[in-house]
Amino acid sequence: MNIKHSISGTGDHAVAVTRISDTQWHAVEDDRVVGRGDASRRPDGRLFVSVDAWHGAVFDRIADTMLTDLPTPLNTVVDETDHDSRSAWERAGFTAARREWGYLVPTDPQVTGLGSLRPPSGVTIVPAGEAEEGPLRALDRVIRDEVEAAAGWRTMPAEVLPRPAGTTVIDPSKYAVARHFDQYVGLVRVAPLTRRPRIGLIAVRADSHRRGIARALLAHALGSLHRSGTASAWAEVSETNAAATALFESIGARRTAATLELVRR
């Protein structure tokens, strides 16, 4: 696909915006690419767009072309402190739909206060890499179904994606599990990223909430990281998730970033 949609002047030169594939657009000036647009569809069906351009006029032209080509609703994500990007998307008709907090999470039990924490009665923590894959996948599916039936996937961080049946757990070795007698009831996933490990998911079955299981899982995950020499981890929490916000802030996690999801309906 190679369809030229529009031409706009910036200074003394003309900028042509061309759709080069189903998901990509280029802005070209004097045979140089001066901006790019991309679109990607999440497994939950939502369409996310992004634009990379040095100049506001080029950004606007790419965005206008993408909006003409693509169906609504459309979504995008910006750093809350990036006022220029937010303003550019707002010029294109996008409005804020949700906010996600980024937390820097200490691992030292002397800081978190989790060193002496023990799991609730009848609950044991199965370390990452030791969980039985079948029960782990079944637990993940139950939790995902509960999320979809309640708050819905639109409230979840971008990394926590819904997936088709049979592919909900990509790497079982990243999961530690809470086991209540012979049943798996909660899980935590830690991605061992080079710069800083990320707590990608911590969740407990609805029928086991408010028993301290999530806190025990977090204590286990952070304790393991601390013993390996890692001083801090990273986590994202929706501002509407009061329970998760309270959990992280109670152990000394610091809110250091905020991401806005914008939507054009």
Side-chain angles (χ1 to χ4, degrees):
M1 179 180 295
N2 191 355
I3 303 173
K4 186 176 294 185
H5 286 266
S6 55
I7 297 178
S8 175
T10 58
D12 297 328
H13 303 281
V15 175
V17 179
T18 301
R19 185 174 189 174
I20 63 172
S21 73
D22 288 342
T23 61
Q24 291 185 314
W25 292 254
H26 280 180
V28 178
E29 181 181 31
D30 290 340
D31 297 323
R32 294 184 302 113
V33 176
V34 294
R36 293 178 172 84
D38 290 278
S40 60
R41 192 172 295 279
R42 278 180 46 160
D44 64 2
R46 289 185 295 165
L47 192 58
F48 279 74
V49 294
S50 64
V51 172
D52 181 16
W54 281 100
H55 301 292
V58 177
F59 183 107
D60 292 344
R61 180 60 63 182
I62 296 172
D64 287 346
T65 302
M66 294 175 73
L67 294 177
T68 299
D69 293 345
L70 296 171
T72 54
L74 295 172
N75 303 269
T76 193
V77 177
V78 300
D79 187 318
E80 189 173 42
T81 63
D82 188 347
H83 302 297
D84 289 342
S85 290
R86 181 176 180 179
S87 295
W89 286 112
E90 288 176 342
R91 289 197 303 272
F94 285 72
T95 58
R98 63 183 292 272
R99 177 182 284 106
E100 188 174 290
W101 303 121
Y103 282 96
L104 190 63
V105 188
T107 64
D108 188 343
Q110 298 297 319
V111 177
T112 63
L114 298 175
S116 61
L117 183 71
R118 296 292 177 266
S121 177
V123 174
T124 57
I125 304 299
V126 181
E130 298 183 19
E132 297 178 58
E133 188 169 333
L136 168 61
R137 292 185 181 279
L139 170 64
D140 185 78
R141 176 56 62 189
V142 167
I143 288 173
R144 287 171 180 273
D145 288 346
E146 290 176 346
V147 169
E148 183 56 41
W153 284 106
R154 66 189 180 279
T155 67
M156 299 298 287
E159 184 183 324
V160 187
L161 301 178
R163 300 183 183 277
T167 60
T168 59
V169 176
I170 303 302
D171 185 353
S173 69
K174 294 179 181 178
Y175 291 78
V177 172
R179 180 175 60 207
H180 183 236
F181 296 113
D182 61 349
Q183 183 181 43
Y184 286 178
V185 295
L187 54 81
V188 59
R189 185 183 76 236
V190 179
L193 304 181
T194 302
R195 182 170 178 268
R196 180 175 290 118
R198 173 178 291 174
I199 302 170
L201 175 64
I202 181 167
V204 177
R205 286 179 57 124
D207 57 9
S208 295
H209 284 181
R210 297 181 178 85
R211 296 183 53 205
I213 294 174
R215 195 174 186 86
L217 283 164
L218 190 57
H220 169 83
L222 295 177
S224 297
L225 290 173
H226 181 69
R227 289 189 293 273
S228 71
T230 301
S232 62
W234 182 256
E236 290 103 10
V237 180
S238 171
E239 69 170 345
T240 61
N241 192 337
T245 298
L247 174 60
F248 280 104
E249 294 186 353
S250 72
I251 64 169
R254 292 188 295 111
R255 188 184 299 170
T256 61
T259 302
L260 288 176
E261 184 177 305
L262 308 177
V263 63
R264 188 178 193 273
R265 303 188 187 283

